[in-house]
Amino acid sequence: MSQAETVPRAPRPLWSLGLLRSEIGVTFRRWRTLALLAVLAGVPVLVGIAVKIETGDGGQEGGGGPGGPAFLSQITHNGLFLVFTSLAVTLPFFLPMSVGVIAGDSLAGEAHGGTLRYLLVAPAGRTRLLLVKYATTLTFCLVGTLVVALSALVTGALLFPLGEVTLLSGTSVSFGEGLLRALAIAVAVALSLIGVAAVGLFVSALTTSGIAAMATTVGLLITVQILETLPQLHALQPYLFPHYWLSFADLLRDPVYWDQLQKNIGLQAVYALVFGSAAWARFTTRDITA
């Protein structure tokens, strides 16, 4: 036996930066992804124009009545509040729906297109491919959230005045600190979506139809959102992944209220662990034929 044959082969790492770069590039070059980002970017523009039209010259206080989106009445005084309002508007449906589409198609779309088996032979390895798919979905969570925030910031600057930010606690901070808080809020919103991403990845591991996986993930999202509104399920609601989504508003307090934010991140981590593990168990034992 030769020396080369006696040397054990080094195990392949579970992480590959090259594979991740390739997957991110492919995902963000797809027309579907670009269309989703365009829709997300358009929401703040529509909200800003609607507030501008309603308030005439923008100098009157608009919207924000009972049941209106959070921070809506503050937009006419400071365009930076359009960032907070847009994130509050997109978080219940638009952002998680977009994440559900990306996550649901991550594995099922490859299987339907006949490329999943090729990726595993490439070689990528099932665990490593699953991690890369999830990391790509998380990247979309962050990019999608930042697209909403940036679009809202530009629209708010064009339509409304900018200046000091009056926090929910009544204190005022500089515009620069307001921008930093807006960035922190965008990150908090992105972290709020990691549970949806894990659920979508698990659903994607169950089927070979990308459309079915996307529809199922979005359907589950809508169902959970409905359950969140039923007062009879009050005891169950703290365990539903959208329950603490709007806790990002606590970043606009002085001092910041961390309790709800920590509960939100912890709940998302539990969903990521549970459904990520379920996706791994399914994907690593599944018979890949396409």
Side-chain angles (χ1 to χ4, degrees), residues 10-101:
R12 287 180 299 182
L14 292 180
W15 193 250
S16 172
L17 188 59
L19 181 60
L20 177 61
R21 285 198 302 263
S22 174
E23 183 64 27
I24 290 176
V26 169
T27 299
F28 282 89
R29 284 195 298 267
R30 289 174 178 158
W31 283 107
R32 177 176 59 247
T33 305
L34 296 176
L36 290 172
L37 292 176
V39 171
L40 292 175
V43 173
V45 176
L46 294 177
V47 173
I49 292 176
V51 173
K52 184 70 174 181
I53 292 175
E54 182 182 349
T55 58
D57 61 1
Q60 303 296 322
E61 186 172 341
F71 320 115
L72 186 58
S73 62
Q74 302 292 333
I75 294 176
T76 55
H77 303 297
N78 193 330
L80 186 59
F81 274 91
L82 185 58
V83 176
F84 312 139
T85 300
S86 298
L87 290 173
V89 168
T90 55
L91 184 54
F93 182 71
F94 290 102
L95 273 170
M97 181 200 68
S98 301
V99 172
V101 169

Side-chain angles (χ1 to χ4, degrees), residues 204-241:
S204 189
L206 297 177
T207 179
T208 59
S209 171
I211 295 178
M214 289 184 286
T216 301
T217 304
V218 174
L220 287 173
L221 169 65
I222 295 174
T223 301
V224 173
Q225 292 280 37
I226 293 174
L227 296 178
E228 181 69 21
T229 64
L230 299 178
Q232 295 84 354
L233 299 178
H234 176 73
L236 174 66
Q237 289 166 356
Y239 303 100
L240 301 178
F241 57 79

Side-chain angles (χ1 to χ4, degrees), residues 124-181:
R126 298 195 183 200
T127 301
R128 181 164 57 164
L129 181 60
L130 190 70
L131 289 173
V132 166
K133 290 288 187 180
Y134 188 55
T136 301
T137 305
L138 295 183
T139 301
F140 179 85
C141 294
L142 180 59
V143 171
T145 303
L146 291 177
V147 163
V148 173
L150 183 59
S151 174
L153 179 61
V154 172
T155 303
L158 292 175
L159 298 180
F160 306 102
L162 298 176
E164 288 190 344
V165 178
T166 302
L167 303 178
L168 297 180
S169 55
T171 57
S172 296
V173 298
S174 66
F175 179 72
E177 183 175 340
L179 280 177
L180 291 177
R181 289 185 183 244

Side-chain angles (χ1 to χ4, degrees), residues 30 104-120 129 133 204-210 213 283 286-290:
R30 289 174 178 158
D105 190 56
S106 57
L107 296 173
E110 299 283 5
H112 180 74
T115 56
L116 183 56
R117 189 174 185 180
Y118 170 77
L119 284 175
L120 295 176
L129 181 60
K133 290 288 187 180
S204 189
L206 297 177
T207 179
T208 59
S209 171
F283 188 59
R286 173 176 159 186
D287 185 17
I288 306 297
T289 59

